[in-house]
Amino acid sequence: MSAAAAVPPPWQAAQQALLGLHAAIAAAHQSGLESIGRDDAEPFIGLVADLSRALERNLPTLQAAALSGPMPPATAALLQQVAHELQALLALNSKLSARTQRALDALFPADHVKAYSRLAGRANPFSGPLASGNGGGYLKA
């Protein structure tokens, strides 16, 4: 008897869904790493959007399998792998976001932004005791 035959049909569909998610996560992760060198995040953003749709599309299959009975060990291992890969992708995204934030902080130091915002508030003829707010709002980048 083959390993696939030992897995009940709902779990076979779940395993196929998990394998597809695994491939989509790997592609998105690789694209995220490559985006660092080429300073172009568009392919990464596209693959993450595709992954999001795949996660949504495959959720009913995984939920149906979970209601069908106990999870086979091979499926449990694959599910843990996919969960781990999603966490790694989230960590990569956080690092990429932090990199972007550091670049913005270097371009627009907070002290300068606050100083110019205060100047802009003073230059506003509608700021004063009767105006709403204090007229010292910050510029938003």
Side-chain angles (χ1 to χ4, degrees), residues 12-125:
Q12 288 175 6
Q15 283 182 331
Q16 289 303 312
L18 289 169
L19 288 171
L21 291 173
H22 166 71
I25 295 166
H29 193 92
Q30 183 62 36
S31 181
L33 292 173
E34 290 170 358
S35 74
I36 295 168
R38 68 176 177 262
D39 289 331
D40 178 16
E42 291 305 315
F44 176 59
I45 293 167
L47 287 172
V48 170
D50 291 345
L51 173 60
S52 176
R53 287 187 290 275
L55 287 165
E56 185 176 345
R57 184 176 55 250
N58 287 303
L59 186 58
T61 301
L62 298 170
Q63 289 172 330
L67 295 174
S68 73
M71 185 181 302
T75 307
L78 187 55
L79 182 59
Q80 286 179 342
Q81 181 181 359
V82 166
H84 176 74
E85 290 168 344
L86 281 171
Q87 288 296 324
L89 185 60
L90 179 62
L92 174 63
N93 186 56
S94 295
K95 288 176 186 176
L96 292 173
S97 295
R99 179 176 178 245
T100 301
Q101 187 59 51
R102 285 191 307 272
L104 287 172
D105 290 344
L107 287 171
F108 305 107
D111 292 342
H112 294 151
V113 171
K114 289 176 185 177
Y116 278 88
S117 293
R118 280 189 230 106
L119 287 172
R122 289 186 196 136
N124 182 353

